[in-house]
Amino acid sequence: MATLGQTIKSLWSMVVGMKVTGIEFFKPKLTVHYPRKEVDNLGTYRGHCDLVAREDDPLTPKCIMCGICVDNCPSGCLSLTMHVVGEGKPRPAGGAGELMLAQEVILPGSIKKAPPTGKAERVLDSFRLNYNYCSLCGLCVQNCPVSSLAWSREAYLVGRSRQEFEFDLLARLRAKAASSQGVKAA
Amino acid sequence: MALEANYGMVGDFYTQNFTTTHTGDGDTLILNLGPQHPSTHGVLRVVVELDGEYVKKAEPVLGYIHRMHEKMGEVKTYLQYLPNMGRVDYLHALGWNWAYVGAVEKLMGIEVPERAEFIRVITCELNRISSHLLWWGAYLLDLGAFTPILYAFADRERIMDILQMVTGSRLTYCYYRFGGVSADIGEKFISDLRAFLAQFKARIPMFHELVTGNMILRGRCVDIGVLPVEMCRRYGATGPVLRGSGVAYDVRRFEPYSVYDQLDFDVPVGKAGDAMDRYDVRVAEMVQSVRIIEQALDKLPEGPFLNPDLPDRFIPEPGEVYYSVEGARGKIGVYIVSDGSPKPYRLKLRSPSFSNLSLFAELSQGTLLGDAISIMGSLDLVIPEIDR
Ligand code: SF4
Ligand code: SF4
């Protein structure tokens, strides 16, 4: 008798479980079928970092070339070169060279104090991001003294080689500005 | 000779641990579970010696995903080490975030604004629910039930959407900062979270209907892997594994950090210490986490989410510090020794999964192979956390 009761109980537990799946069967689909549909919650998504342009000049980033982001980046993804007006020759800022050959972790002791923005005579020549190493930690974006870095919302980034993820952010900024100006003109 | 080979560590793991202790009657079978076995959750390898269907001996082999997190702590600055924390235990990344920032804050005497403490509680508990949900689905998958993981993921995706709103990422969060968090939670976050909590509370009875009462599941869990308290103590087991055996030890309750002492929650415990108890404890913990989040949302104070007077550089005085929090798998501890330089002199991570895995060898001895899989699943192992 006890065995019979046990068997009935076991079978009933399955029926209860099947009821749940049965109800679920008629509920609307939850998944977003990617190529046909895209999600709409990327407003705060951390894509790779991107330079932010000045309000008065969409071709120039706010960056004052202090090198804090270069020094802080745990993965050594960022590098920038600049020159001081009148000197002519580009030189790396923030301790890191222009070439990203080895990942090097740099002491923040090398951080230079940010120069006053008004007197900046330095010109940014290139601002590179090696996205292959980036861990999207956010230290560069959050520690920039002039908010010159922001997240791009690039969630659908694909490429066929590593080189495609080595970005020149300055060129990106300029291309973006040019294309938006083109839109405005048209 | 055999002894010599062992002490001199000659040969590979198999030679050291199995050939010398092989019973030699020729009837046993050596089997590798993993490192690429569907039921080992990542790259864990367990060498088992089987006598028929019975496990005579099981030895976990570690190191397949070792990334030298502790060594990296010595070559990176305090700030630069932050993103590592999301990668130690990717399922409860915020627990590790918290243990590390908590340790550095304690070492440097940095104050955390109250709002930030509440935000940390909310996000960390939310992360705990998502971790337990994944465990729930994956454990049942181990036991042969495919459907539940889809239900678990439906809820987990919603949690990840909510956490993405503030952290910007979906898995390996790097959200906490020394002295607070990196972004404030807004109206949308709170309303979405409340809607989720209301819905999730209604889903838990459904989970129970779906599987908890199922006789097949009970047959695989009840009285399987009975873990005595004494064995837990010997191996240093914590978290739901320890609580399943009836010890109500929870760091949030016994060494309350942050604002946990202002919140009202229960510490669920099991009785028998079998796999079913560990299952029940985790499901009950999800309900408690919901309670904690609701209270924290009600009490959420206004104010800054990041300490406004942080130092320019994080260089602590020489000294040492230990800080522990309750992670989804147990007690997470971070121990830092500072020599006054910008980088930690030594950084030690105490991961709960390491201790919880260590007892597997003893616990699975003499069980059926299928039960050993059930036991391993019930320990809720995250392999990257074992191999720091
Ligand atoms: S921290 Fe900001 S201002 Fe300084 S170099 Fe980086 S982007 Fe430029
Ligand atoms: S997000 Fe982190 S890893 Fe990526 S570039 Fe910025 S600082 Fe470097």
Coordinates of all heavy atoms in Angstrom, one line a residue, chain A residues 6 9-11 13-14 16-22 24-25 27 30 41-46 71-75 105-109 111 113 135-139 142-143, chain B residues 75-77 79-84 87 147 151 154 161 164-170 172-175 177 182-183 203 206 209-211 213-216 312-313 315 342-343:
Chain A
Q6 N 3.3 5.8 -2.8 CA 4.6 6.5 -3.2 C 4.6 6.7 -4.7 O 5.0 7.7 -5.2 CB 5.8 5.5 -2.8 CG 7.1 6.1 -2.8 CD 7.2 7.2 -1.7 OE1 6.6 7.1 -0.7 NE2 8.0 8.3 -2.0
K9 N 2.3 9.4 -5.7 CA 2.9 10.7 -5.4 C 4.0 11.1 -6.4 O 4.0 12.2 -6.8 CB 3.5 10.6 -4.0 CG 3.3 11.8 -3.1 CD 3.9 11.7 -1.7 CE 4.8 12.8 -1.4 NZ 5.7 12.5 -0.3
S10 N 4.8 10.1 -6.8 CA 5.8 10.4 -7.7 C 5.2 10.8 -9.1 O 5.7 11.8 -9.7 CB 6.7 9.1 -8.0 OG 6.9 8.4 -6.9
L11 N 4.2 10.1 -9.5 CA 3.6 10.5 -10.8 C 3.0 11.8 -10.7 O 3.0 12.6 -11.6 CB 2.6 9.4 -11.2 CG 3.2 8.1 -11.6 CD1 2.1 7.0 -11.8 CD2 4.0 8.2 -12.9
S13 N 3.9 14.3 -8.9 CA 4.9 15.4 -8.9 C 5.3 15.7 -10.3 O 5.6 16.9 -10.7 CB 6.2 15.0 -8.1 OG 6.9 14.0 -8.7
M14 N 5.3 14.7 -11.2 CA 5.6 15.0 -12.6 C 4.5 15.8 -13.3 O 4.7 16.7 -14.1 CB 5.7 13.6 -13.4 CG 6.5 12.6 -12.7 SD 8.1 12.6 -13.4 CE 8.9 11.5 -12.3
V16 N 2.5 17.9 -11.9 CA 2.6 19.2 -11.4 C 3.6 20.0 -12.2 O 3.4 21.1 -12.7 CB 2.9 19.3 -9.9 CG1 3.1 20.7 -9.4 CG2 1.8 18.7 -9.1
G17 N 4.8 19.3 -12.4 CA 5.9 20.0 -13.2 C 5.5 20.2 -14.6 O 5.7 21.3 -15.2
M18 N 4.7 19.2 -15.2 CA 4.3 19.4 -16.6 C 3.3 20.5 -16.7 O 3.3 21.2 -17.8 CB 3.7 18.1 -17.1 CG 4.6 16.9 -17.0 SD 5.3 16.4 -18.5 CE 4.4 14.9 -18.7
K19 N 2.5 20.7 -15.7 CA 1.6 21.8 -15.7 C 2.3 23.1 -15.9 O 1.9 24.0 -16.7 CB 0.7 21.8 -14.4 CG -0.5 22.7 -14.5 CD -1.2 22.8 -13.2 CE -0.6 23.8 -12.3 NZ -0.9 23.7 -10.9
V20 N 3.4 23.3 -15.2 CA 4.2 24.5 -15.3 C 4.7 24.7 -16.7 O 4.5 25.8 -17.3 CB 5.3 24.5 -14.2 CG1 6.2 25.8 -14.4 CG2 4.8 24.4 -12.8
T21 N 5.3 23.7 -17.2 CA 5.8 23.8 -18.6 C 4.7 24.0 -19.6 O 4.9 24.8 -20.6 CB 6.7 22.6 -19.0 OG1 6.0 21.4 -18.6 CG2 8.0 22.7 -18.4
G22 N 3.6 23.4 -19.3 CA 2.4 23.5 -20.2 C 2.0 25.0 -20.3 O 1.7 25.5 -21.4
E24 N 3.7 27.6 -19.6 CA 4.8 28.4 -20.2 C 4.7 28.3 -21.7 O 5.1 29.3 -22.4 CB 6.2 27.9 -19.7 CG 7.3 28.8 -19.9 CD 7.2 30.0 -19.0 OE1 6.5 30.0 -17.9 OE2 7.9 31.1 -19.3
F25 N 4.3 27.2 -22.2 CA 4.2 27.0 -23.6 C 3.4 28.1 -24.4 O 3.7 28.4 -25.5 CB 3.6 25.6 -23.9 CG 3.8 25.1 -25.3 CD1 5.1 24.7 -25.7 CD2 2.8 25.0 -26.2 CE1 5.3 24.2 -26.9 CE2 3.0 24.5 -27.4 CZ 4.2 24.1 -27.8
K27 N 3.0 31.2 -23.3 CA 3.4 32.5 -23.0 C 4.2 33.1 -24.2 O 4.8 32.4 -24.9 CB 4.2 32.5 -21.7 CG 3.4 32.3 -20.5 CD 4.1 32.8 -19.2 CE 3.2 32.5 -18.0 NZ 4.0 32.3 -16.9
L30 N 10.5 35.2 -25.0 CA 11.3 36.2 -24.2 C 12.5 36.6 -25.0 O 13.0 37.7 -24.8 CB 11.7 35.7 -22.9 CG 10.5 35.5 -21.8 CD1 11.1 34.8 -20.6 CD2 10.0 36.8 -21.4
N41 N 18.5 48.4 -24.6 CA 18.9 48.9 -23.3 C 20.4 49.2 -23.3 O 21.1 48.9 -22.3 CB 18.6 47.9 -22.2 CG 19.2 46.6 -22.4 OD1 19.8 46.3 -23.5 ND2 19.1 45.7 -21.4
L42 N 21.0 49.8 -24.3 CA 22.4 50.0 -24.4 C 22.8 51.4 -23.9 O 23.9 51.8 -24.1 CB 22.9 49.8 -25.8 CG 22.8 48.3 -26.3 CD1 23.3 48.2 -27.7 CD2 23.5 47.4 -25.4
G43 N 21.8 52.1 -23.3 CA 22.1 53.5 -22.9 C 23.3 53.6 -22.0 O 24.0 54.6 -22.0
T44 N 23.5 52.7 -21.1 CA 24.6 52.8 -20.2 C 25.6 51.6 -20.4 O 26.5 51.4 -19.6 CB 24.1 52.6 -18.7 OG1 23.4 51.4 -18.6 CG2 23.3 53.8 -18.3
Y45 N 25.6 51.0 -21.6 CA 26.4 49.9 -21.9 C 27.9 50.4 -22.0 O 28.1 51.4 -22.6 CB 26.0 49.2 -23.1 CG 26.8 48.0 -23.5 CD1 26.6 46.8 -22.9 CD2 27.8 48.1 -24.5 CE1 27.4 45.7 -23.2 CE2 28.6 47.0 -24.8 CZ 28.3 45.8 -24.1 OH 29.1 44.7 -24.4
R46 N 28.8 49.6 -21.4 CA 30.2 50.0 -21.6 C 30.8 49.4 -22.9 O 31.1 48.2 -22.9 CB 31.0 49.4 -20.4 CG 30.9 50.2 -19.1 CD 31.8 49.7 -18.1 NE 31.5 50.3 -16.8 CZ 32.1 50.0 -15.7 NH1 33.1 49.1 -15.7 NH2 31.8 50.7 -14.5
D71 N 48.4 56.2 -17.6 CA 49.0 55.6 -16.4 C 48.1 54.7 -15.7 O 48.6 53.7 -15.1 CB 49.5 56.8 -15.5 CG 50.7 57.4 -16.0 OD1 51.3 56.9 -17.0 OD2 51.1 58.4 -15.4
N72 N 46.8 55.0 -15.6 CA 45.9 54.2 -14.8 C 45.5 52.9 -15.4 O 45.1 52.0 -14.7 CB 44.7 55.1 -14.5 CG 44.7 55.7 -13.2 OD1 45.4 55.3 -12.3 ND2 43.8 56.7 -13.0
C73 N 45.5 52.9 -16.7 CA 44.9 51.7 -17.4 C 45.7 50.4 -16.9 O 46.9 50.3 -17.1 CB 45.0 51.8 -18.9 SG 44.5 50.4 -19.7
P74 N 45.0 49.5 -16.4 CA 45.6 48.3 -15.8 C 46.2 47.4 -16.9 O 47.1 46.6 -16.7 CB 44.5 47.5 -15.1 CG 43.3 48.4 -15.1 CD 43.5 49.4 -16.1
S75 N 45.7 47.5 -18.1 CA 46.1 46.7 -19.2 C 47.1 47.4 -20.2 O 47.4 46.8 -21.2 CB 44.9 46.1 -20.0 OG 43.9 45.8 -19.1
V105 N 52.8 47.8 -17.0 CA 52.0 48.5 -16.0 C 52.8 49.6 -15.4 O 54.0 49.4 -15.0 CB 51.6 47.5 -14.9 CG1 50.8 48.1 -13.9 CG2 50.8 46.3 -15.5
I106 N 52.3 50.8 -15.4 CA 53.1 51.9 -15.1 C 52.6 52.5 -13.7 O 51.5 52.5 -13.4 CB 52.8 53.0 -16.1 CG1 53.3 52.5 -17.5 CG2 53.6 54.3 -15.8 CD1 52.5 53.1 -18.6
L107 N 53.6 52.9 -13.0 CA 53.3 53.4 -11.6 C 52.6 54.8 -11.8 O 52.9 55.6 -12.6 CB 54.6 53.7 -10.9 CG 55.3 52.6 -10.2 CD1 56.6 53.1 -9.6 CD2 54.4 52.1 -9.2
P108 N 51.6 55.0 -10.9 CA 51.0 56.3 -11.0 C 51.9 57.4 -10.5 O 51.5 58.6 -10.6 CB 49.7 56.2 -10.1 CG 50.0 55.0 -9.2 CD 51.0 54.1 -9.9
G109 N 53.0 57.0 -10.0 CA 54.0 58.1 -9.6 C 54.4 58.9 -10.8 O 54.9 60.1 -10.6
I111 N 52.4 60.1 -12.9 CA 51.3 61.0 -13.3 C 51.7 62.4 -13.2 O 52.2 62.8 -12.2 CB 50.1 60.7 -12.5 CG1 49.5 59.3 -12.8 CG2 49.0 61.8 -12.7 CD1 48.3 58.9 -11.9
K113 N 50.7 66.4 -13.0 CA 49.6 67.2 -12.7 C 49.0 67.8 -13.9 O 49.7 68.2 -14.9 CB 50.0 68.3 -11.7 CG 49.9 67.9 -10.3 CD 48.5 68.3 -9.7 CE 48.2 67.7 -8.4 NZ 47.4 66.6 -8.4
S135 N 39.8 45.7 -20.5 CA 38.9 44.9 -19.7 C 37.6 45.7 -19.4 O 36.8 45.2 -18.5 CB 39.6 44.4 -18.4 OG 40.1 45.6 -17.7
L136 N 37.4 46.8 -20.0 CA 36.3 47.6 -19.8 C 36.0 48.0 -18.3 O 34.9 47.9 -17.8 CB 35.0 47.0 -20.4 CG 35.1 46.8 -21.9 CD1 33.9 46.0 -22.4 CD2 35.1 48.1 -22.6
C137 N 37.1 48.2 -17.6 CA 37.0 48.5 -16.2 C 36.5 49.8 -15.9 O 35.9 50.1 -14.8 CB 38.4 48.3 -15.5 SG 39.6 49.5 -16.1
G138 N 36.7 50.8 -16.8 CA 36.2 52.1 -16.5 C 37.1 53.1 -15.8 O 36.7 54.2 -15.6
L139 N 38.3 52.6 -15.5 CA 39.2 53.5 -14.8 C 39.6 54.8 -15.6 O 39.8 55.9 -15.1 CB 40.4 52.8 -14.3 CG 40.1 51.7 -13.3 CD1 41.4 51.0 -12.9 CD2 39.5 52.2 -12.0
Q142 N 36.5 57.2 -15.8 CA 36.1 57.8 -14.5 C 37.2 58.7 -14.0 O 36.9 59.6 -13.1 CB 35.8 56.7 -13.5 CG 34.4 56.2 -13.7 CD 34.2 54.8 -13.3 OE1 35.1 54.3 -12.5 NE2 33.2 54.2 -13.7
N143 N 38.4 58.6 -14.4 CA 39.5 59.4 -13.8 C 40.0 60.5 -14.6 O 40.9 61.2 -14.3 CB 40.6 58.5 -13.3 CG 40.3 57.6 -12.2 OD1 39.9 58.1 -11.1 ND2 40.4 56.3 -12.3
Chain B
V75 N 52.0 43.3 -8.6 CA 52.6 44.1 -9.7 C 51.7 45.3 -10.2 O 52.1 46.1 -11.0 CB 53.1 43.3 -10.9 CG1 54.2 42.3 -10.5 CG2 52.0 42.6 -11.5
K76 N 50.5 45.3 -9.7 CA 49.6 46.4 -10.1 C 49.4 47.3 -8.9 O 49.4 46.9 -7.8 CB 48.3 45.8 -10.6 CG 48.4 45.0 -11.9 CD 47.1 44.7 -12.4 CE 47.2 43.9 -13.7 NZ 46.2 44.2 -14.6
T77 N 49.0 48.5 -9.2 CA 48.7 49.4 -8.1 C 47.3 49.0 -7.6 O 46.6 48.2 -8.2 CB 48.6 50.9 -8.6 OG1 47.5 51.0 -9.5 CG2 49.9 51.3 -9.3
L79 N 44.6 50.6 -7.4 CA 43.5 50.9 -8.3 C 43.5 50.0 -9.5 O 42.4 49.5 -9.9 CB 43.6 52.4 -8.8 CG 42.4 53.0 -9.5 CD1 41.3 53.1 -8.5 CD2 42.8 54.4 -10.0
Q80 N 44.6 49.7 -10.0 CA 44.7 48.9 -11.3 C 44.3 47.4 -11.0 O 43.9 46.7 -12.0 CB 46.1 48.9 -11.8 CG 46.5 50.2 -12.5 CD 47.9 50.2 -12.9 OE1 48.8 49.5 -12.3 NE2 48.2 51.0 -13.9
Y81 N 44.2 47.0 -9.8 CA 43.9 45.6 -9.5 C 42.4 45.4 -9.5 O 41.9 44.3 -9.5 CB 44.5 45.2 -8.1 CG 44.4 43.8 -7.9 CD1 45.0 42.9 -8.7 CD2 43.7 43.2 -6.8 CE1 45.0 41.5 -8.5 CE2 43.7 41.9 -6.6 CZ 44.3 41.0 -7.4 OH 44.2 39.7 -7.2
L82 N 41.6 46.5 -9.5 CA 40.1 46.4 -9.4 C 39.5 45.5 -10.4 O 38.7 44.6 -10.0 CB 39.5 47.8 -9.5 CG 39.2 48.6 -8.2 CD1 38.7 50.0 -8.6 CD2 38.1 47.8 -7.5
P83 N 39.8 45.6 -11.7 CA 39.1 44.7 -12.6 C 39.4 43.3 -12.5 O 38.6 42.4 -12.9 CB 39.6 45.2 -14.0 CG 40.8 46.1 -13.7 CD 40.6 46.6 -12.4
N84 N 40.5 42.9 -11.8 CA 40.7 41.5 -11.5 C 39.6 40.8 -10.7 O 39.3 39.7 -10.9 CB 42.1 41.3 -10.8 CG 43.2 41.4 -11.7 OD1 43.4 42.4 -12.3 ND2 44.1 40.5 -11.7
R87 N 36.9 38.9 -12.2 CA 37.2 37.7 -12.9 C 37.6 36.6 -12.0 O 37.8 35.5 -12.5 CB 38.4 38.0 -13.8 CG 38.1 38.6 -15.1 CD 38.1 40.1 -15.1 NE 37.7 40.7 -16.4 CZ 37.2 41.9 -16.5 NH1 37.0 42.6 -15.4 NH2 36.8 42.3 -17.6
T147 N 15.0 21.5 -18.8 CA 14.1 22.6 -18.8 C 14.4 23.7 -17.8 O 14.4 24.9 -18.1 CB 12.7 22.1 -18.6 OG1 12.5 20.9 -19.3 CG2 11.6 23.1 -19.1
Y151 N 14.2 28.4 -17.5 CA 13.4 29.2 -16.5 C 14.3 30.1 -15.7 O 14.1 31.3 -15.5 CB 12.6 28.3 -15.6 CG 11.4 27.7 -16.4 CD1 11.7 26.6 -17.2 CD2 10.1 28.1 -16.2 CE1 10.6 26.0 -17.9 CE2 9.1 27.5 -16.9 CZ 9.4 26.4 -17.7 OH 8.3 25.8 -18.4
A154 N 15.6 33.0 -17.8 CA 14.6 34.1 -18.0 C 14.7 35.1 -16.9 O 14.7 36.3 -17.2 CB 13.2 33.5 -18.1
D161 N 20.0 42.7 -17.0 CA 19.5 43.9 -17.6 C 19.6 45.1 -16.5 O 20.0 46.2 -16.8 CB 18.1 43.8 -18.1 CG 18.1 43.0 -19.5 OD1 19.2 42.9 -20.0 OD2 17.0 42.6 -19.9
Q164 N 23.1 45.9 -15.6 CA 23.8 46.6 -16.7 C 23.5 48.0 -16.6 O 24.4 48.8 -17.0 CB 23.3 45.9 -18.0 CG 24.1 46.5 -19.2 CD 23.4 46.1 -20.5 OE1 22.9 45.0 -20.6 NE2 23.3 47.0 -21.4
M165 N 22.3 48.4 -16.2 CA 22.0 49.8 -16.1 C 23.0 50.6 -15.3 O 23.3 51.8 -15.7 CB 20.6 49.9 -15.4 CG 19.5 50.5 -16.3 SD 18.1 50.6 -15.3 CE 17.2 49.1 -15.8
V166 N 23.5 50.1 -14.2 CA 24.5 50.9 -13.4 C 25.9 50.4 -13.6 O 26.8 51.3 -13.6 CB 24.1 50.8 -11.9 CG1 22.9 51.6 -11.7 CG2 24.0 49.4 -11.4
T167 N 26.1 49.1 -13.9 CA 27.5 48.7 -14.0 C 28.0 48.8 -15.4 O 29.2 48.9 -15.6 CB 27.7 47.2 -13.5 OG1 26.9 46.4 -14.5 CG2 27.1 47.0 -12.2
G168 N 27.1 48.8 -16.4 CA 27.6 48.9 -17.8 C 28.0 47.5 -18.3 O 28.2 47.4 -19.5
S169 N 28.1 46.5 -17.5 CA 28.4 45.2 -18.0 C 27.4 44.1 -17.6 O 26.5 44.4 -16.8 CB 29.8 44.8 -17.5 OG 30.5 45.8 -16.9
R170 N 27.6 43.0 -18.1 CA 26.6 41.9 -17.8 C 27.2 40.8 -17.0 O 26.4 40.0 -16.4 CB 26.0 41.3 -19.1 CG 25.2 42.3 -19.9 CD 24.6 41.8 -21.1 NE 23.5 40.9 -20.9 CZ 22.2 41.3 -20.7 NH1 22.0 42.6 -20.6 NH2 21.3 40.5 -20.5
T172 N 31.2 40.3 -15.8 CA 32.4 40.6 -15.0 C 32.4 42.1 -14.6 O 33.1 42.9 -15.1 CB 33.7 40.3 -15.8 OG1 33.5 40.9 -17.1 CG2 33.9 38.8 -16.0
Y173 N 31.6 42.3 -13.6 CA 31.4 43.7 -13.2 C 32.6 44.3 -12.5 O 33.4 43.6 -11.8 CB 30.3 43.8 -12.1 CG 29.0 43.1 -12.6 CD1 28.5 42.1 -11.9 CD2 28.3 43.6 -13.7 CE1 27.3 41.4 -12.3 CE2 27.2 43.0 -14.1 CZ 26.7 41.9 -13.4 OH 25.5 41.3 -13.8
C174 N 32.9 45.6 -12.8 CA 33.9 46.3 -12.1 C 33.2 47.6 -11.7 O 33.4 48.7 -12.3 CB 35.1 46.6 -13.0 SG 36.4 47.5 -12.2
Y175 N 32.4 47.5 -10.6 CA 31.5 48.6 -10.3 C 31.8 49.3 -9.1 O 31.7 50.5 -9.0 CB 30.1 48.0 -10.3 CG 29.0 48.9 -9.8 CD1 28.8 50.1 -10.5 CD2 28.1 48.6 -8.8 CE1 27.7 51.0 -10.1 CE2 27.1 49.4 -8.4 CZ 26.9 50.6 -9.0 OH 25.9 51.4 -8.7
R177 N 34.0 51.2 -6.2 CA 35.2 52.0 -6.2 C 35.6 52.2 -4.7 O 34.8 52.1 -3.8 CB 35.0 53.3 -6.8 CG 34.8 53.2 -8.3 CD 36.1 52.9 -9.1 NE 35.9 52.8 -10.5 CZ 35.5 51.7 -11.2 NH1 35.3 50.6 -10.5 NH2 35.4 51.8 -12.5
S182 N 30.7 53.3 -8.7 CA 31.1 54.2 -9.8 C 30.0 54.9 -10.5 O 30.1 55.7 -11.3 CB 31.9 53.4 -10.8 OG 31.1 52.3 -11.4
A183 N 28.7 54.5 -10.2 CA 27.6 55.2 -10.8 C 26.4 55.1 -9.8 O 26.2 54.1 -9.1 CB 27.2 54.6 -12.1
R203 N 7.6 33.8 -8.9 CA 8.2 32.7 -9.6 C 8.8 31.6 -8.7 O 8.9 30.5 -9.2 CB 9.4 33.3 -10.5 CG 9.0 34.3 -11.5 CD 8.8 33.7 -12.9 NE 10.0 33.1 -13.5 CZ 10.0 32.6 -14.7 NH1 8.9 32.6 -15.4 NH2 11.1 32.1 -15.2
M206 N 6.7 28.7 -8.3 CA 6.6 28.0 -9.6 C 7.9 27.1 -9.7 O 7.8 25.9 -10.2 CB 6.5 29.0 -10.7 CG 6.3 28.4 -12.1 SD 7.9 28.1 -12.8 CE 8.3 29.7 -13.6
E209 N 7.3 24.0 -7.8 CA 6.3 23.1 -8.5 C 7.0 22.4 -9.6 O 6.8 21.2 -9.8 CB 5.2 23.9 -9.0 CG 4.1 24.2 -8.0 CD 2.8 24.8 -8.7 OE1 2.8 25.0 -9.9 OE2 1.9 25.0 -8.0
L210 N 7.9 23.2 -10.3 CA 8.5 22.6 -11.5 C 9.4 21.4 -11.1 O 9.4 20.4 -11.7 CB 9.3 23.7 -12.2 CG 10.0 23.3 -13.5 CD1 8.9 22.9 -14.6 CD2 10.8 24.4 -14.0
V211 N 10.3 21.6 -10.1 CA 11.2 20.6 -9.8 C 11.4 20.1 -8.3 O 11.7 19.0 -8.1 CB 12.7 20.9 -10.3 CG1 12.8 20.6 -11.8 CG2 13.1 22.3 -9.9
G213 N 9.6 19.4 -5.9 CA 8.9 18.2 -5.4 C 9.1 17.0 -6.3 O 8.6 15.9 -5.9
N214 N 9.7 17.2 -7.4 CA 9.9 16.1 -8.3 C 10.6 14.8 -7.7 O 11.6 15.0 -7.1 CB 10.6 16.6 -9.6 CG 10.6 15.6 -10.7 OD1 11.2 14.5 -10.5 ND2 10.1 15.9 -11.8
M215 N 10.0 13.7 -7.9 CA 10.5 12.5 -7.2 C 11.9 12.1 -7.8 O 12.7 11.6 -7.1 CB 9.6 11.3 -7.4 CG 8.3 11.5 -6.5 SD 8.6 12.1 -4.9 CE 8.9 10.6 -4.0
I216 N 12.1 12.4 -9.1 CA 13.4 12.0 -9.6 C 14.5 12.8 -9.0 O 15.5 12.3 -8.6 CB 13.4 12.2 -11.2 CG1 12.3 11.4 -11.8 CG2 14.8 11.8 -11.7 CD1 12.1 11.5 -13.3
D312 N 44.2 61.7 -4.1 CA 44.5 61.7 -5.5 C 45.1 60.3 -5.9 O 44.8 59.7 -6.9 CB 45.6 62.7 -5.9 CG 45.0 64.1 -6.0 OD1 43.7 64.1 -6.1 OD2 45.7 65.1 -6.0
R313 N 45.9 59.8 -5.0 CA 46.5 58.5 -5.3 C 46.3 57.6 -4.1 O 46.2 58.0 -2.9 CB 48.0 58.6 -5.5 CG 48.3 59.3 -6.9 CD 49.7 59.1 -7.2 NE 50.4 60.4 -7.1 CZ 51.6 60.5 -6.8 NH1 52.3 59.5 -6.4 NH2 52.2 61.7 -6.7
I315 N 47.8 55.3 -1.9 CA 49.0 54.7 -1.3 C 48.9 54.6 0.2 O 49.0 55.6 0.9 CB 50.3 55.6 -1.7 CG1 50.3 55.8 -3.2 CG2 51.5 55.0 -1.2 CD1 51.4 56.7 -3.7
P342 N 53.0 52.1 -3.7 CA 51.7 52.2 -4.4 C 51.1 50.8 -4.8 O 50.0 50.8 -5.2 CB 52.1 52.9 -5.7 CG 53.4 53.5 -5.5 CD 54.1 52.7 -4.5
K343 N 51.9 49.8 -4.6 CA 51.4 48.4 -4.9 C 51.4 47.6 -3.6 O 52.2 47.8 -2.8 CB 52.3 47.7 -5.9 CG 52.5 48.5 -7.2 CD 53.6 47.8 -8.0 CE 53.9 48.5 -9.2 NZ 55.0 48.0 -10.0

